[in-house]
Amino acid sequence: MSQEQTQAQGQAHGQAHGQAQAHGKAHDQPQAHVQTRLVHAGSPELKNGAGPVNVPVVRTSTVRFADTAAQAALNKLRAAGDRVATYGRHGLDTHQALEEAVASLEGGHRTVLAPSGLSAITLVLLATLAPGDHALVADSVYSPVRKVDKSLLQRYGVQVEYFSPSQDTLESLIRPNTRLLYLESPSSLLFEVLDLPALAATARRHGVLVAADNTWSGGLYYQPLALGANLSIQAATKYLAGHSDVMMGVVTVDSAELARKIGVTYDALGLSVGADDAYLTLRGLRTLDVRLARHQTNALAVAEYLAGHGDVAQVFYPALPQDPGHALWRRDFSGASGLVSFAFGNADPAAASRFIDALRYFSIGASWGGYESLALEAAPERLAEHSVWQQGAGKPSVVRLHIGLEHPQDLIGDLERAFSVTRDALRRSA
């Protein structure tokens, strides 16, 4: 190797590893609390003794090289799995800073960005499964996972089996060709808490990878990788970005081999995330701790109000002592987010829509994780996918609330007015 090539190789390694030093200082201080890592992970490097607080937005479609030797060296490093950019789609400073910060938050080896939460899920499924493989999926996961199954996985000969983590014995369901266990805890809509350590231990004994959707906790209050999962997925659209103005997903893995698999599939799918969205998500991540603390305080106040309300049959919120998953939540989680669901005490099919339409401070929206409160009726067909719901007595309407950053008494007053309107309408129709 010539001296020029050696220098180019060194420059390439500098790009690959210098970013980790510049943007991942929290990694050098593993004893730092998560609040400190949220502030400092991914901070920009000081140049000539000074620099900005935030990583600049670096937009490009083309990456330039000093010479052909530098280009070849970088391409070789990228092919070997190093986090370097040889094209704009791979992401430069802004993307790498966000990846470093999320990897620090999740305690992972590497984080990859995706255009949405669902694209992050699809990326994981396509990267870990091949024709003839079998995957076990908790039946209470985010419902669009089933769309990925029906529209893609089945076409490519992947077998997906849905099961109840609380009612079925995982050991008996694992086959010789089982390659992936896909979980979400707390679950979608009804927030069932899963025993991830036990499920992951069983899967690992059989050489089965474990993926967990960690969006509910924002990555702050739950650590799937530390509890046995190999991959942690989030819709960064929700709590990480936190302001209802970004679409993004993140995948964090626990090993270099999984990072390579995810990277190869990412490139094959032609995925890309805009630098502006990466910047906004990184900015949102800085305040994740203080925002989630307020979401939790408000949500607990609302959940306790709902639990004592005569028109409510059941409240789904793991932080409530009476919730079926409370013991597991206390063991594995360090906090709760702003999502609360409840079932009406009567079976009036119009109760949910009447209730939601009467709300003033709660907007109607399918997403969550922003600063604003939202209300949405849980679609009966999606609830029916949850085996724990199928065993319940009756099928009352269920409303999912995202409790925002407003004053909790204003939100409770709004809910009380909506209950009153719903009761009045029921009496008139009787």
Side-chain angles (χ1 to χ4, degrees):
M1 181 179 290
S2 68
Q3 181 179 359
E4 290 80 6
Q5 289 174 317
T6 302
Q7 291 174 343
Q9 185 91 12
Q11 292 171 355
H13 275 289
Q15 180 180 338
H17 302 295
Q19 292 294 346
Q21 295 173 357
H23 299 308
K25 294 179 180 178
H27 288 177
D28 299 330
Q29 299 176 344
Q31 74 278 9
H33 293 84
V34 66
Q35 293 84 356
T36 303
R37 287 186 279 120
L38 283 173
V39 172
H40 293 281
S43 296
E45 182 181 11
L46 299 181
K47 296 181 180 179
N48 300 320
V53 172
N54 297 312
V55 175
V57 179
V58 179
R59 308 181 190 91
T60 192
S61 59
T62 301
V63 173
R64 298 185 300 156
F65 305 94
D67 49 41
T68 56
Q71 181 185 26
L74 284 166
N75 283 330
K76 183 177 180 180
L77 287 174
R78 181 166 180 82
D82 279 28
R83 180 61 176 93
V84 297
T86 58
Y87 187 61
R89 188 166 56 82
H90 304 152
L92 292 174
D93 300 49
T94 319
H95 302 78
Q96 292 174 9
L98 176 59
E99 290 172 350
E100 288 288 340
V102 175
S104 175
L105 173 67
E106 292 266 21
H109 173 77
R110 183 173 298 171
T111 293
V112 175
L113 312 182
S116 69
L118 184 56
S119 69
I121 293 170
T122 304
L123 172 62
V124 167
L125 295 175
L126 293 180
T128 59
L129 296 169
D133 286 348
H134 173 249
L136 285 165
V137 178
D139 62 11
S140 55
V141 297
Y142 178 54
S143 188
V145 171
R146 295 173 184 262
K147 292 183 180 180
V148 179
D149 171 19
K150 294 175 182 177
S151 63
L152 288 177
L153 300 183
Q154 289 183 17
R155 287 169 53 198
Y156 298 139
V158 175
Q159 306 162 22
V160 176
E161 181 179 355
Y162 299 92
F163 76 107
S164 170
S166 62
Q167 299 171 15
D168 297 327
T169 303
L170 178 62
E171 190 86 40
S172 66
L173 299 175
I174 294 177
R175 308 175 188 174
N177 62 333
T178 302
R179 298 291 178 264
L180 180 69
L181 174 66
Y182 186 93
L183 308 170
E184 181 175 348
S185 183
S187 68
S188 181
L189 298 178
L190 300 179
F191 314 128
E192 178 187 8
V193 181
L194 310 186
D195 192 344
L196 176 56
L199 293 166
T202 299
R204 283 174 175 263
R205 282 199 303 272
H206 294 269
V208 176
L209 290 172
V210 181
D213 188 321
N214 195 23
T215 307
W216 187 90
S217 85
L220 181 63
Y221 293 148
Y222 193 50
Q223 298 288 296
L225 300 182
L227 295 174
N230 304 102
L231 306 100
S232 180
I233 305 162
Q234 285 195 64
T237 304
K238 307 299 196 291
Y239 283 125
L240 290 184
H243 292 77
S244 302
D245 54 6
V246 171
M247 296 294 294
M248 190 179 296
V250 294
V251 179
T252 305
V253 299
D254 69 349
S255 68
E257 175 58 22
L258 271 178
R260 186 196 67 78
K261 285 186 177 182
I262 294 292
V264 167
T265 306
Y266 186 98
D267 282 347
L269 292 173
L271 299 181
S272 180
V273 169
D276 295 89
D277 286 343
Y279 175 86
L280 289 172
T281 304
L282 183 60
R283 187 172 68 172
L285 184 142
R286 302 303 188 200
T287 62
L288 178 64
D289 178 61
V290 292
R291 286 187 289 107
L292 268 183
R294 180 63 176 268
H295 282 297
Q296 176 179 218
T297 299
N298 288 0
L300 185 58
V302 169
E304 289 172 342
Y305 156 77
L306 292 170
H309 201 285
D311 294 341
V312 174
Q314 186 174 356
V315 180
F316 306 94
Y317 191 61
L320 287 178
Q322 63 269 37
D323 188 276
H326 183 69
L328 285 174
W329 174 81
R330 282 182 60 87
R331 186 192 72 184
D332 294 341
F333 289 74
S334 60
S337 67
L339 283 175
V340 180
S341 292
F342 70 92
F344 281 92
N346 64 75
D348 178 11
S353 59
R354 288 170 177 164
F355 178 86
I356 291 170
D357 288 343
L359 294 168
R360 299 176 186 175
Y361 291 128
F362 290 79
S363 298
I364 303 172
S367 191
W368 46 271
Y371 53 82
E372 76 284 9
S373 291
L374 297 171
L376 190 73
E377 180 176 6
E381 62 272 18
R382 290 194 172 185
L383 286 172
E385 296 168 355
H386 297 55
S387 54
V388 292
W389 180 247
Q390 291 173 331
Q391 288 192 354
K395 295 292 185 291
S397 299
V398 172
V399 171
R400 187 191 71 186
L401 301 174
H402 176 252
I403 309 303
L405 304 181
E406 302 92 342
H407 195 285
Q409 290 306 313
D410 292 332
L411 298 178
I412 290 172
D414 197 20
L415 295 169
E416 186 58 41
R417 284 191 298 271
F419 277 121
S420 178
V421 169
T422 306
R423 282 194 303 272
D424 291 344
L426 183 61
R427 281 196 294 267
R428 289 195 299 272
S429 64

